[in-house]
Amino acid sequence: MAKANPARICPVAAFQKMISGKYKLRIVWDLKDGPRRYGEIRSGLLRGTEGSAEIAPRVLSRELKALTQSGLIDRKDFGEVPPKVEYRLTRKGKSFVPVVAAIRDWGDRHLTETATLVDAAE
């Protein structure tokens, strides 16, 4: 019986930890079309959502910082007054877009069917 190598992290667990958070996948998806400023990302996250119309600035800043630390996005500070900061996908982040697209496609196929069935049953 082979023993597990404790130094090796499970890639699925590492992936799950990297994308955990309410907005990370949606931020990456929004940045696929090019660089965005903080306010543009924030308004993009509000499109098509139900429930709360507010995203706490602290939460969005935390998600952006985590994505930057994981190497999926890059933060460019222009050093201007008023402050101008842009976020863009890194090469690693761009390679992640097809994964998010696959999740989106799966959701289109399977989650909309479930929502339709639940609505019909009520």
Side-chain angles (χ1 to χ4, degrees), residues 9-118:
I9 298 172
C10 171
V12 174
F15 175 79
Q16 183 178 15
K17 184 177 180 180
M18 181 183 72
I19 63 161
S20 67
K22 190 171 182 178
Y23 301 106
K24 287 180 184 156
L25 290 176
R26 291 170 53 197
I27 291 168
V28 169
W29 187 252
D30 199 34
L31 291 175
K32 77 182 180 343
D33 298 324
R36 301 256 193 264
R37 294 179 66 181
Y38 179 91
E40 294 171 318
I41 294 170
R42 185 171 183 270
S43 64
L45 293 175
L46 294 174
R47 282 192 310 263
T49 60
E50 295 177 16
S52 174
E54 288 296 318
I55 298 167
R58 189 177 109 243
V59 173
L60 181 53
S61 294
R62 184 180 62 223
E63 297 282 72
L64 290 168
K65 183 176 182 180
L67 286 168
T68 301
Q69 289 174 340
S70 69
L72 291 176
I73 67 172
D74 183 45
R75 179 183 189 273
K76 182 178 180 182
D77 188 341
F78 289 87
E80 296 178 357
V81 176
K84 179 180 178 184
V85 177
E86 273 187 355
Y87 295 90
R88 67 182 68 229
L89 291 176
T90 60
R91 185 176 306 174
K92 181 179 176 181
K94 289 176 184 174
S95 73
F96 186 56
V97 170
V99 176
V100 180
I103 292 168
R104 182 177 182 268
D105 292 345
W106 186 90
D108 277 345
R109 283 192 314 273
H110 299 287
L111 298 179
T112 53
E113 288 175 10
T114 303
T116 302
L117 292 174
V118 168

